[in-house]
Amino acid sequence: MNFSFDEEIILENSFALLRPINKTDIDNLLPVATKDKYLLQFSPAQIFTAELLKTYIDSAVENKISKNRYAFIVFDKTRNQFAGSTSFLNISNPDDRLEIGSTWYGDEFQRTGLNRNCKYLLLQYAFDNLEAERVEFKTDERNLASRKAIEKIGGQFEGILRRHTLMSDGFRRNTICYSILRSEWAELKKHFLEHNLAR
């Protein structure tokens, strides 16, 4: 695998467009990020104020420079609005693996098919372009909606990392681990977008 942080990765289909996030995107994401204080209740980072969102975006940009995380801003083409963010992270070229995570969308973009389209674009890039052997997903044990979404796209449960991540409120969460393997993707992608859940 040869993932490059220097590449300008743009992924899109008729439903979604993903491009690298930049510092000017605070204006694009402020409406969705600040609408619901509990949008990222299961995330160690919070974004419900302009200051918190700026810190989040600044950190994402710095992480790309330091080659730790490659964050995208997500644009919903069907609604003509910016919807949220997602990332490639925990990237290991020698091991041919990476993680898809740090994903969030405004409430109005959830359960619309946007997430499935974004995951398809990210998985397609990872497996078909990068030739990754493994894509990982992690989420808070308490985040049942996220767990269900990962399972619906074919993520296989692998285990629980106990007291794994320190949250902003001081709580130590258990992290649930899933993965999709290259050998599984060949079959999954045949029917991945058949049910776009545009409802």
Side-chain angles (χ1 to χ4, degrees):
M1 195 174 84
N2 188 26
F3 185 93
S4 173
F5 280 88
D6 298 324
E7 185 177 345
E8 186 83 356
I9 302 171
I10 297 176
L11 308 173
E12 68 178 311
N13 62 12
S14 58
F15 289 86
L17 183 146
L18 287 70
R19 64 158 174 79
I21 202 166
N22 62 61
K23 292 190 177 186
T24 63
D25 281 321
I26 186 166
D27 292 331
N28 293 324
L29 290 176
L30 198 60
V32 290
T34 59
K35 191 173 183 179
D36 177 7
K37 181 177 182 178
Y38 299 103
L39 181 63
L40 296 190
Q41 69 177 115
F42 297 116
S43 172
Q46 295 300 310
I47 56 169
F48 59 85
T49 68
E51 184 179 355
L52 287 170
L53 180 61
K54 182 180 184 303
T55 299
Y56 180 91
I57 292 174
D58 287 348
S59 176
V61 171
E62 288 302 314
N63 282 336
K64 182 172 180 285
I65 294 169
S66 61
K67 303 186 186 319
N68 289 318
R69 174 164 69 106
Y70 195 110
F72 298 90
I73 189 169
V74 175
F75 185 77
D76 185 328
K77 288 186 172 183
T78 64
R79 290 165 179 76
N80 200 36
Q81 290 178 275
F82 287 96
S85 179
T86 190
S87 300
F88 285 132
L89 59 160
N90 293 323
I91 297 156
S92 176
N93 283 321
D95 296 310
D96 299 323
R97 62 172 163 80
L98 52 73
E99 180 182 340
I100 294 173
S102 296
T103 301
W104 60 271
Y105 309 102
D107 290 338
E108 63 267 42
F109 301 97
Q110 298 175 22
R111 296 170 297 280
T112 65
L114 177 65
N115 179 58
R116 178 169 284 263
N117 278 274
C118 289
K119 289 297 190 293
Y120 179 83
L121 290 168
L122 293 163
L123 287 164
Q124 183 182 49
Y125 185 80
F127 287 122
D128 298 342
N129 290 64
L130 297 174
E131 299 185 346
E133 286 296 327
R134 168 185 173 87
V135 173
E136 301 170 347
F137 306 86
K138 297 186 184 81
T139 193
D140 191 315
E141 181 181 35
R142 302 166 297 169
N143 193 344
L144 300 181
S146 177
R147 291 170 61 176
K148 184 177 179 181
I150 294 168
E151 290 164 5
K152 283 178 79 170
I153 65 166
Q156 298 295 307
F157 172 78
E158 293 192 323
I160 302 174
L161 303 175
R162 298 178 300 163
R163 294 179 60 80
H164 177 251
T165 301
L166 181 63
M167 307 298 278
S168 59
D169 61 0
F171 179 82
R172 294 201 69 92
R173 83 176 198 190
N174 293 338
T175 297
I176 302 284
C177 302
Y178 295 88
S179 72
I180 295 175
L181 304 181
R182 181 175 177 78
S183 57
E184 297 162 342
W185 172 243
E187 187 62 30
L188 281 174
K189 71 177 179 180
K190 291 179 183 177
H191 309 289
F192 204 91
L193 294 180
E194 280 186 358
H195 308 289
N196 263 318
L197 307 178
R199 51 190 172 273

